[in-house]
Amino acid sequence: MVFIYEDSANGTAGLVVNRPTEHTLNQLLPHASTLGVPVFKGGPVNERSLMLFHSDDFTSTNTLHTGTGLDISSDDIMLQKLETHPPRRFKPVAGISVWAPGQLDFEIKKNYWLTSTLPNSIVFEQSGDKAWQAAIDHSLNRIIDRYI
């Protein structure tokens, strides 16, 4: 599952949000009260960067407000704020996924991707293969509903 947060003439960027790594947030913040929260692999680019993919009830000094109810923060202060004022829902994500200009559009036109807007419950309450399967089921049901 990929959350696309930028699509412009310069290319497309997104975060994979269903692949947990073996790392947890408390490994980065040993004193954190968010023990056991997995860090997700957002993609193969800039894997040492940490971003917070979260509900829009949280903001930091470098927050990208997407207008979808889901935002992305990436700064040092977000980790401190996470401890005191966490968002309703969040996933720490390391790395991003990027596509060259026109690449993702081409792949979508070739039906290499199944696109859909997913409910937050799938995005935040599930991970790994269960999240992927729930996303597929949701997307296919929306397609079937269009034709029935």
Side-chain angles (χ1 to χ4, degrees):
M1 296 173 6
V2 180
F3 176 76
I4 300 298
Y5 65 86
E6 181 179 336
D7 187 30
S8 69
N10 296 324
T12 304
L15 300 173
V16 176
V17 295
N18 68 305
R19 290 188 183 151
T21 68
E22 67 277 1
H23 303 290
T24 60
L25 192 56
N26 67 310
Q27 290 172 318
L28 302 174
L29 302 169
H31 62 283
S33 61
T34 52
L35 296 175
V37 173
V39 174
F40 287 77
K41 181 178 173 98
V45 177
N46 206 10
E47 291 182 290
R48 291 194 170 269
S49 69
L50 182 70
M51 296 193 287
L52 193 65
F53 175 62
H54 57 84
S55 50
D56 63 1
D57 59 328
F58 178 89
T59 192
S60 196
T61 58
N62 188 29
T63 298
L64 173 65
H65 300 284
T66 68
T68 65
L70 303 172
D71 294 340
I72 301 166
S73 295
S74 61
D75 57 53
D76 294 335
I77 297 170
M78 73 180 186
L79 298 176
Q80 295 168 354
K81 290 184 79 171
L82 183 61
E83 282 297 294
T84 57
H85 297 86
R88 285 185 318 274
R89 294 177 165 179
F90 70 93
K91 285 186 174 183
V93 180
I96 63 172
S97 299
V98 297
W99 293 264
Q103 179 185 357
L104 187 58
D105 288 336
F106 173 80
E107 292 176 6
I108 290 171
K109 287 177 184 165
K110 288 289 193 177
N111 291 319
Y112 297 161
W113 291 90
L114 179 60
T115 62
S116 184
T117 301
L118 298 176
N120 287 350
S121 59
I122 292 174
V123 174
F124 287 105
E125 295 171 14
Q126 301 183 48
S127 65
D129 291 341
K130 288 182 180 182
W132 184 82
Q133 188 60 55
I136 295 293
D137 292 345
H138 174 82
S139 300
L140 291 177
N141 286 335
R142 289 188 62 178
I143 291 169
I144 291 168
D145 289 346
R146 269 191 252 155
Y147 294 104
I148 293 181

